[in-house]
Amino acid sequence: RMQIHMQEMIYQASGEFADKFEERNLKIIENLPQGPLYIRADGRRLWRVLENLFNNVAKYAMSNTRVYVDLLDLGSEIKFSIKNISEQRLNIEAEDLTERFIRGDISRSTEGSGLGLSIAKNLTEIQGGKFYIYVDGDLFRVTIIFPKLEALPEDMSIGALEENIEASLEKSINEETDGQTENQEESSSEG
């Protein structure tokens, strides 16, 4: 896991899916804060979550509509959500959409395994995040929440920070051990 700049990750996902969204005339409305927001996550796994969510919208959103992408600072947590109007009627409970091989409408002719939301949920949760789906009529929204990470200095990754902490602990332990060895040597030379 490493420090992830959420706005950059969202901009990257938006850019990757721009052509697919344009083909369906989907307009992205982004509501992202000015200052950077960070979480601690595995970059590849988080990318897979965003990729699956954006891909879900590209496949199933109603053409000629808007897609809302929001990122909010909740203090100790960061909340990301993506919402759209579904092209097909969602005739299923929101929780069931994250079950493997389930899609919102059995008659859909689009390709797909029905694994995208299930994978996104699992990858979010194994990284310490929360994953929610909300369905109201044809409105579809996915929200993920992660603990907020205060920014580290630019030249300091979490891995490097952990290595520095481990090195400091090891040094302290060695100094204590050396001090105890010296005391034992002094005691034996006095006796």
XYZ file of all heavy atoms in Angstrom, residues 175-191:
128
model
N 20.824 -0.337 20.598
C 21.436 0.512 21.625
C 21.117 -0.013 23.012
O 21.978 -0.041 23.890
C 20.961 1.961 21.468
C 21.571 2.652 20.268
C 20.988 4.033 20.013
O 20.045 4.455 20.724
O 21.477 4.701 19.080
N 19.860 -0.453 23.215
C 19.484 -1.023 24.515
C 20.257 -2.301 24.782
O 20.762 -2.519 25.879
C 17.977 -1.320 24.548
C 17.125 -0.121 24.805
C 15.653 -0.482 24.900
O 15.323 -1.614 25.303
O 14.831 0.393 24.588
N 20.365 -3.147 23.770
C 21.087 -4.417 23.907
C 22.562 -4.152 24.190
O 23.156 -4.781 25.069
C 20.941 -5.259 22.625
O 19.556 -5.406 22.332
C 21.571 -6.624 22.778
N 23.165 -3.188 23.472
C 24.563 -2.834 23.700
C 24.757 -2.305 25.113
O 25.724 -2.647 25.791
C 25.047 -1.789 22.685
C 25.162 -2.349 21.271
O 25.154 -3.602 21.129
O 25.249 -1.546 20.323
N 23.828 -1.487 25.577
C 23.898 -0.933 26.934
C 23.806 -2.029 27.979
O 24.525 -2.017 28.984
N 22.935 -2.996 27.770
C 22.795 -4.109 28.707
C 24.051 -4.973 28.697
O 24.514 -5.438 29.729
C 21.565 -4.953 28.357
C 20.265 -4.248 28.648
C 19.056 -5.045 28.161
O 19.195 -6.070 27.513
N 17.873 -4.535 28.485
N 24.644 -5.194 27.520
C 25.864 -5.992 27.392
C 27.009 -5.312 28.137
O 27.763 -5.951 28.868
C 26.237 -6.193 25.904
O 25.115 -6.755 25.229
C 27.443 -7.092 25.739
N 27.122 -3.970 27.974
C 28.173 -3.226 28.676
C 27.989 -3.342 30.175
O 28.948 -3.529 30.916
C 28.158 -1.753 28.248
C 28.682 -1.527 26.849
C 28.524 -0.084 26.402
O 28.187 0.781 27.240
O 28.729 0.171 25.201
N 26.742 -3.236 30.660
C 26.473 -3.338 32.096
C 26.830 -4.733 32.612
O 27.380 -4.878 33.704
C 25.008 -3.040 32.404
C 24.679 -1.566 32.263
O 25.582 -0.728 32.253
N 23.398 -1.255 32.142
N 26.517 -5.764 31.816
C 26.839 -7.117 32.226
C 28.357 -7.326 32.264
O 28.890 -7.966 33.167
C 26.215 -8.135 31.272
C 24.713 -8.239 31.424
C 24.082 -9.154 30.366
O 24.732 -9.575 29.435
N 22.799 -9.423 30.554
N 29.072 -6.745 31.285
C 30.536 -6.866 31.268
C 31.150 -6.160 32.465
O 32.077 -6.658 33.088
C 31.092 -6.291 29.953
C 30.823 -7.156 28.758
C 31.246 -6.515 27.449
O 31.785 -5.377 27.473
O 31.015 -7.132 26.384
N 30.616 -4.971 32.803
C 31.129 -4.233 33.978
C 30.868 -5.033 35.249
O 31.715 -5.118 36.128
C 30.443 -2.864 34.075
C 30.915 -1.879 33.030
C 30.158 -0.570 33.079
O 29.391 -0.324 34.028
O 30.298 0.220 32.121
N 29.696 -5.644 35.353
C 29.346 -6.420 36.537
C 30.265 -7.634 36.660
O 30.720 -7.971 37.752
C 27.891 -6.920 36.465
O 27.027 -5.836 36.457
N 30.558 -8.319 35.526
C 31.414 -9.501 35.613
C 32.864 -9.114 35.891
O 33.562 -9.850 36.564
C 31.364 -10.369 34.359
O 30.750 -9.827 33.285
N 33.323 -7.961 35.426
C 34.702 -7.581 35.690
C 34.879 -7.116 37.135
O 35.940 -7.220 37.697
C 35.167 -6.509 34.708
O 34.434 -5.329 34.893
N 33.799 -6.611 37.744
C 33.870 -6.190 39.127
C 33.873 -7.386 40.073
O 34.353 -7.325 41.170
C 32.680 -5.269 39.485
C 32.759 -3.925 38.799
C 31.503 -3.096 39.030
O 30.612 -3.517 39.785
O 31.421 -2.025 38.432
N 33.228 -8.501 39.640
C 33.076 -9.661 40.515
C 34.275 -10.494 40.491
O 35.135 -10.751 41.159
